[in-house]
Amino acid sequence: MSDKMHIKLTVNGAPREVLAEPRELLIHVLRERLGLTGPHIGCETTHCGVCTVDMNGKSVKSCTVFAAQADGAEITTIEGLGTPDDLHVLQRMFHEHHGLQCGFCTPGMITRAHRLLQENPDPTEEEVRFGMAGNLCRCTGYQNIVRAILAAAAELNAAREAAQ
Amino acid sequence: MIPSAFEYHRPPSVAEAIRIVSERGDDARVIAGGHSLIPMMKLRMAHLEHLVDLQDVAELRELSIADGIVRIGAMVTQHELITHEGLAQAVPIVREAALLIADPQVRYMGTIGGNLANGDPGNDMPGLMQCLDARFGLEGPEGSREVAARDFYEAAYMTDRADEEILTRITFAASTGGYAYEKQKRKIGDYATAAAAVLINAQDGRVSRASVAMTNLSDVPVWSEAAADALIGTACDAAACDAAVAAMSAEIDPQEDSRGPIEFKRHVAGTILRRAIARAWARA
Amino acid sequence: MNDMTPEGREERRGKLKGLGHARRRVEDARFTQGKGNYIDDINLSGMLFGDFVRSPHAHARITSIDASAALELPGVVAVLTADDLRPLDLHWMPTLAGDKQMVLADGKVLFQGQEVAFVVARDRYVAADAVDLVEIEYEELPVITDPFESLQSDVVLREDLDPEAPGSHGPRRHHNHIFLWEEGDKAATEQAIESSEVVAEEMIYYHRTHPCPLETCGSVASMDKVNGKLTLWGTFQAPHVVRTVASILSGIEEHNIRVISPDIGGGFGNKVGVYPGYVCSIVASIVTGSPVKWVEDRMENLMSTAFARDYWMKGRISATKDGRITGLHCHVTADHGAFDACADPTKFPAGFFHICTGSYDIPVAYVAVDGAYTNKAPGGVAYRCSFRVTEAAYMIERMIEVLAIELGMDAAELRARNFIREDQFPYQSALGWEYDSGDYHTAWNKALEAVNYEGLRREQAERVEAFNRGETRKLLGIGLTHFTEIVGAGPMKNCDILGMGMFDSCEIRIHPTGSAIVRLGTISQGQGHATTFAQILASEIGISSDSITVEEGDTDTAPYGLGTYGSRSTPVAGAAAAMAGRKIRAKAQMIAAYLLEVHEDDLEWDVDRFAVKGAPERFKTMAEIAFASYNQAIPGVEPGLEAVSYYDPPNMTYPFGAYICVMEIDVDTGEHEIRQFYALDDCGTRINPMVIEGQVHGGLTEALAIAMGQEIAYDDLGNIKTATLMDFFMPTSWETPTYTTAFTETPSPHHPIGAKGVGESPNVGGVPAFSNAVHDAFRPFGLRHSHMPHDHWRIWKVAHELGLHG
């Protein structure tokens, strides 16, 4: 065990501070110290993506980031994407298009899809499949996940056009 | 999967990082994106006492292209290599290769420096940099030096870099002409079964210059001068490709693993190389 | 519009969102907002964390265990070994298959990754550090990873077993033999095959793989010593059985144990078994007095909890020259690993493998299965299939292809020629099953037409010519499969697990204002029970599915049931739901009769109400009836409106389907591309088409993984080679094709609503469809059979051996 570090994060827009060993993984800080159990732990070797969160504007696998590395970072988790009264369009579309079953991959999927649409607001199906390839799902075969993300993009684009 | 404990350092400069590494010796490791090292630490196959995180070293994040020379700081991520329009114009093979590395999340974190310095035979950038004849800038307690990518790799995870040195920047010339990066892998996120980087310049329907390198077919990347020579001066016809493949085949030394037996890898290496040559020639 | 008109009735029916409605799922709200409650999300005050020290060797004697350094580490509370469990008689535990299994290594280890010691510490970081400090000395023993070698070897794997004594499934002929199980008429089958004009024989290996849900297995045990109550949360596909087993093992009376399955992040059979981690978390909680969590990591999951398949199937199939099948003979050598921990109904050590006559009218058949111990992980679970049904379907669908080659006949035509005809149902199979219903020819013709089968065959022939001319290096394969499943275990007369009959249950409580809570003995792992069971009931009791809460997984509140696996939820618990609903309706009818002052027989059920026959304007809705049941004293009728049903199914159900996969194969790299996949499923009555489609997509993708690369592989020393997701193949969105789904609907005659179950069909049918596509591509070049998984190098090897590399 090594000395604990004072780690400051901005999580879902709010400043948070934790005392943690440097080796502590970001996913454990989020889940066990901050009570944000939306992101999950799946493979622990960066292959499955269920731990995906947004860190400084990038999708990262939080099982492979040390708490110490994240010191000073801005983090968004699934819990920061929508509220029960005002769901994020991706949350609505995953529901509408049956883009989830057991739900275990869903927080990582939606968080990743959110970043993908920030970078590519009007993706093709192929671009969605390539852009989501860091997130595994065992239940859906991805077909409805892809459909949900394309539908979310269409809705966001329609809203953007209407606003112009 | 829980790593053993370590002390964490986040120096603001290369000089400070070198100072920490020099003081701590074998007990210290530099971390860039960490997506190779951290899984090894979690599997407890890598143990270290001091982790030196380079994320605050701004000078390592620079990417510039001037006078036909590309300079890339070691902490530039694969994602940045992909999204940098100037780089895509100057050396399009880099984007083509980077897109085939790991998956989106890993590319946000994974850096070119980490990919090069680690010495993992499965990494794509070492072969690509040999193909581009890149030079690596190393800084250590004794000062800085440059080494050619083609001279850098000694064996799996063994490079010319001394323990207390840090690979800080990569320099190579912009490449005009035909290019292709071909990679066979089992799935997104896998290392290459075989990968080939090929650059070809054409003049009057003949290959005027060529560079050929392959990845994960030996314990080091394989840049084959003989394979390139087999193409130069030819119309890149079947006989020339056969000769290039034969030359490369003499230099690779694939090992059996879960991707397949040696005979298969040798065959795939030839196929992938042929495809890379054909595509590069078509673009030349 | 009058709501008694046909239009009005349809509008009322629509509002119920009952059977057939693509109802959006009620589960989604919490999952899309990160508010699911999975095992690792459970965090109790003072909770400790348990972690295993595991064996690096596949077969070794343990000469010493020294935990002193680990115990000195601050934060470590206990280190348990077999010696600590022995006084409680918990160092071994019974398996679901009638064998026993070490909880912690007792003197020796039998597979790599076996649990040797259990470290209990303040948190998972300290526990992981302590695991490294436990010093264990081993003396290595010869390793056997091959079941054929095992059955010949002098090396005794299971020294705890008397080599002379029979096992729980009869005599053992060798010290590494577990059982011989036979079904069918051996002599008649051999005679039929020997006298046939054409015989095809092939060894078909269905390799070892793993269900690998994204959430690994885990548990949290909390022993309340004040009240003597144990609460156990865990990744349990059968929570009630776990409670019974926990009671038997621990001696704690069953009413003092509460087992809760929280949200489960995928099961696929992985979470049916009882694992040492569960037992150790319980013991550790009893020993320490604190709650103890155990959650395995991915490597532990892949190396120790529940492999699937590993069947060597030697098939012989015979036919007349014009392609009428005359007999089927199959001998299986089954690798069960170190302990026989298969999750099968007790009387079926090879599960329902004898569904292996498939969709075909085969007059005589015989199967024999020899189980063998090896130095590999125990398990043998039904990975997204009913018990050994995917092995059976793979065997027959490969044998059909091999027979077609032998006959020189088109494989689609051979199938059609041998299908059980619609007029033959209910059909008695040669191996003893009664197929309840089916219409295979209709499904088959629909599928062939949808993909333009003849056109594909023409294209394939052209491709072969182009290949031979050197114009392409890609081959085209057309993978056909017509599968018949057997699910819904099962009738208590022959199906039990640890003595518990495989019924299931449903309890309904209608609230005074006309909404309801429903509890079942099953547990969803993503299937969407809270959505679909409510739909069954909506149609039965006339209350909108939106007003029905469905609860499962808490043994203190839910009725006893055998859980969710083997596609049994809809066939068994779904039937229980319908039957309980009918009890509600029967009582409601009595109440309505009283309220309307008519005789019960003068009432008819009309979507959501009882109306007087011939006077539909006189009616009482279910909501009105529910209210009356609580506030009116009705002579001869108890207050309240509740019902419970324990449903013992009279038969299994037999879903079927026709799948066609069109695949491009690169002969030089062994890479493949799936150009088209058409999946027609007949699961009887369709409860929720959206959920069915989702199940099919997911099952096909698991089948894709298994057929094209996913395996649990060992080297000769028993070291597992595929213990991370780098090497254990799980396709991403990039490697996964887009599927086309279709259906026919042949209701089950014995199920209350005619439903058959669908969750596992796509895996059962998908694996042979993908595999047959690979084989079909090479058929013109002389390939008969090659073993899965069809990863790049194995496909390349096929091409190489056929001389396609020049």
Side-chain angles (χ1 to χ4, degrees), chain C residues 472-750:
Chain C
T472 179
R473 298 295 288 164
K474 283 191 178 173
L475 301 178
L476 185 69
I478 305 159
L480 305 174
T481 284
H482 191 288
F483 65 93
T484 295
E485 269 203 287
I486 173 166
V487 305
M492 287 178 70
K493 62 182 183 241
N494 58 6
C495 288
D496 72 275
I497 283 183
L498 291 178
M500 253 75 67
M502 294 183 74
F503 61 85
D504 227 290
S505 58
C506 175
E507 189 181 280
I508 305 172
R509 194 178 296 171
I510 314 284
H511 305 313
T513 52
S515 63
I517 185 163
V518 174
R519 296 187 171 106
L520 302 105
T522 43
I523 175 72
S524 183
Q525 308 127 39
Q527 294 91 337
H529 290 175
T531 302
T532 53
F533 283 142
Q535 291 182 255
I536 294 176
L537 281 162
S539 289
E540 290 291 338
I541 62 177
I543 292 173
S544 167
S545 53
D546 288 343
S547 299
I548 300 174
T549 294
V550 174
E551 265 190 19
E552 304 173 307
D554 182 340
T555 59
D556 264 13
T557 57
Y560 203 101
L562 272 277
T564 294
Y565 43 86
S567 272
R568 63 185 303 282
S569 295
T570 294
V572 191
M579 298 309 277
R582 287 169 197 185
K583 288 183 185 177
I584 294 280
R585 219 160 80 184
K587 182 170 178 181
Q589 188 165 1
M590 291 161 67
I591 296 168
Y594 173 81
L595 296 174
L596 292 164
E597 298 180 341
V598 295
H599 191 274
E600 276 180 55
D601 294 346
D602 294 330
L603 293 173
E604 61 185 353
W605 176 250
D606 178 18
V607 181
D608 58 353
R609 62 191 59 180
F610 279 105
V612 177
K613 286 178 188 165
E617 71 286 357
R618 292 189 61 210
F619 63 85
K620 289 290 172 189
T621 66
M622 192 52 114
E624 291 171 314
I625 295 167
F627 196 71
S629 76
Y630 286 94
N631 79 348
Q632 295 220 17
I634 302 172
V637 179
E638 284 181 8
L641 194 52
E642 298 188 10
V644 59
S645 169
Y646 282 75
Y647 186 80
D648 177 14
N651 190 3
M652 310 284 186
T653 60
Y654 297 78
F656 62 93
Y659 291 177
I660 299 174
C661 172
V662 183
M663 190 185 282
E664 302 263 357
I665 285 179
D666 183 324
V667 298
D668 287 317
T669 61
E671 292 170 301
H672 69 272
E673 185 192 345
I674 290 145
R675 197 172 84 181
Q676 183 181 6
F677 198 106
Y678 175 88
L680 181 151
D681 275 283
D682 192 321
C683 58
T685 302
R686 290 157 57 83
I687 298 166
N688 181 327
M690 177 194 80
V691 167
I692 290 171
E693 190 187 54
Q695 290 288 310
V696 173
H697 293 166
L700 288 176
T701 304
E702 292 191 345
L704 169 74
I706 294 167
M708 305 312 291
Q710 183 182 89
E711 64 176 324
I712 294 289
Y714 294 85
D715 67 15
D716 290 343
L717 294 174
N719 298 305
I720 184 168
K721 298 197 288 183
T722 51
T724 71
L725 297 195
M726 169 68 85
D727 288 315
F728 185 81
F729 177 59
M730 300 231 274
T732 73
S733 50
W734 186 249
E735 293 88 25
T736 304
T738 299
Y739 307 104
T740 304
T741 56
F743 66 97
T744 55
E745 194 161 351
T746 313
S748 168
H750 63 78

Side-chain angles (χ1 to χ4, degrees), chain A residues 33 37 48 52 63 67 87-89 102 105 108 116 119 133:
Chain A
R33 296 193 186 272
T37 55
C48 80
T52 298
C63 78
L87 292 177
H88 190 277
V89 58
C102 81
C105 75
L116 175 67
E119 294 180 354

Side-chain angles (χ1 to χ4, degrees), chain C residues 96-114:
Chain C
L96 298 180
D99 195 0
K100 56 179 182 161
Q101 171 179 357
M102 293 179 206
V103 174
L104 291 171
D106 183 19
K108 70 187 274 195
V109 290
L110 286 158
F111 65 94
Q112 188 184 49
Q114 188 178 333

Side-chain angles (χ1 to χ4, degrees), chain A residues 23 32 96 101-102 138, chain C residues 24-25 38 124 129 383 731:
Chain A
R23 66 164 164 166
E32 297 184 0
E96 183 58 30
Q101 291 180 28
C102 81
R138 294 288 283 151
Chain C
R24 299 302 185 264
R25 302 193 333 156
Y38 302 91
R124 66 181 91 213
D129 289 343
Y383 168 10

Side-chain angles (χ1 to χ4, degrees), chain A residues 1 23-25 28 31-32 37-38 40 42-44 47 50 78-79 83-84 87 91 95-96 98 100-107 110 125-126 129-130 132-133 136 138-144 147, chain C residues 24-25 28 31-34 38 40-41 122 124-125 129 211-212 214-215 264-266 268 297-298 383 525-526 690-691 693-695 697-698 701-702 710 725-726 730-734 736-739:
Chain A
M1 204 168 43
R23 66 164 164 166
E24 205 165 309
L25 297 162
H28 289 140
R31 289 176 48 81
E32 297 184 0
T37 55
H40 298 129
C43 74
E44 305 175 70
H47 292 96
V50 302
I78 186 70
E79 288 92 340
T83 64
L87 292 177
Q91 292 170 319
H95 172 64
E96 183 58 30
H98 191 31
L100 66 149
Q101 291 180 28
C102 81
F104 200 72
C105 75
T106 310
I110 292 178
E125 177 180 338
E126 190 170 72
R129 285 185 176 272
F130 193 72
M132 295 302 295
L136 294 177
R138 294 288 283 151
C139 299
T140 65
Y142 306 104
Q143 196 155 324
N144 290 341
R147 202 183 283 173
Chain C
R24 299 302 185 264
R25 302 193 333 156
D28 294 355
F31 294 145
T32 54
Q33 295 177 73
Y38 302 91
D40 206 7
D41 299 342
R122 188 181 57 216
R124 66 181 91 213
Y125 285 77
D129 289 343
C212 196
L214 282 181
E215 180 201 39
I264 294 181
F268 317 120
D297 68 28
R298 178 57 57 195
Y383 168 10
Q525 308 127 39
M690 177 194 80
V691 167
E693 190 187 54
Q695 290 288 310
H697 293 166
T701 304
E702 292 191 345
Q710 183 182 89
L725 297 195
M726 169 68 85
M730 300 231 274
T732 73
S733 50
W734 186 249
T736 304
T738 299
Y739 307 104

